Amino acid sequence: MRQQIVAGNWKMNKTLEEGIDLTKAILEKVEKPNGLVVIAPPYPYLRELGKMLKVRKHFHLAAQNCHEEEKGAYTGEVSADMLASVGCEFVIIGHSERRQYFKEKNDVLAAKVNVSLARGMRPIFCCGEPLHIREADTHVGYVAKQLKASLFHLKEEDFRKVVIAYEPIWAIGTGRTATSLQAQEMHQAIRVLVSKKYGKIVADETPILYGGSCNAQNAAELFAQPDVDGGLIGGASLKADDFATIVAALK
Ligand code: PGA
């Protein structure tokens, strides 16, 4: 069976002290997860929280972003090399907030995917459509373009390390979750696209996570869908009880 994953994206929340408390509480409440638990705190706490996670099986550290260049005069930016050197195993790439607020385009995201993989980290690549695209019923084509432009240049060997997160933008932080049927349909469509490019075996092994107002109440139904392999969790990852319930919902 392919990997099941719950990843918590803390975004720009929590102080160091609060982050340590939250991590402690999560480590206490999550017992024997049925998959991988990935935590993506803000950059300044990666090292500290990574040490706490490292001692526990199934727990992994992620960054929320990285710069697309290897190094150089990019004041304020953080490279994939730096992230790998503080223990990150995963990097979230192409989150819709990065696309929207920081104008990250598909070609830049492809470069970020490349530098992450070159430093031995697994990209959690986010895709997903805005509301008007969903309403026009062109969401599958829209997501297909995102995948083609930023992921499908990869060699099979590299693609096998990628985790895809489908996050309809209209569902992120809005409390408006995709129905389990909408999620399943899109995840299945994504798996078909991957299969056309890399073959059925690779497609069957690619974890595809759902993100967008996934919470303690709806996680079990979403994760029960055959092509939903876990979730990328924003708001609900900031509360240990909710996050632990979501992890427990993995099939
Ligand atoms: P949300 O965010 O769970 O708060 O909707 C999900 C995400 O942005 O990854």
Side-chain angles (χ1 to χ4, degrees), residues 90-164:
F90 292 83
V91 192
I92 299 171
I93 299 209
H95 191 280
S96 63
E97 288 151 17
R98 301 290 320 171
R99 293 176 190 259
Q100 184 184 348
Y101 304 135
F102 302 93
K103 310 289 173 236
E104 294 185 1
K105 299 275 180 275
N106 290 335
D107 53 340
V108 166
L109 300 178
K112 291 187 183 218
V113 166
N114 294 345
V115 285
S116 304
L117 287 164
R119 291 294 171 261
M121 294 180 292
R122 298 179 63 185
I124 300 176
F125 181 80
C126 302
C127 56
E129 78 287 352
L131 187 59
H132 71 276
I133 296 289
R134 167 66 64 164
E135 282 171 351
D137 203 22
T138 52
H139 44 288
V140 174
Y142 185 93
V143 167
K145 259 195 200 152
Q146 292 178 321
L147 299 179
K148 279 181 194 155
S150 303
L151 286 184
F152 285 2
H153 62 285
L154 293 173
K155 287 186 290 192
E156 179 184 318
E157 182 196 343
D158 279 332
F159 184 84
R160 293 178 89 121
K161 298 173 190 144
V162 172
V163 176
I164 295 175

Side-chain angles (χ1 to χ4, degrees), residues 210-225:
Y210 170 79
S213 298
C214 181
N215 57 36
Q217 286 73 45
N218 59 28
E221 194 188 331
L222 286 160
F223 298 174
Q225 302 305 310

Side-chain angles (χ1 to χ4, degrees), residues 129 134 139-140 143 166 182-190:
E129 78 287 352
R134 167 66 64 164
H139 44 288
V140 174
V143 167
Y166 168 61
Q182 284 173 321
Q184 168 56 23
E185 270 171 11
M186 187 54 119
H187 284 228
Q188 191 178 33
I190 291 171

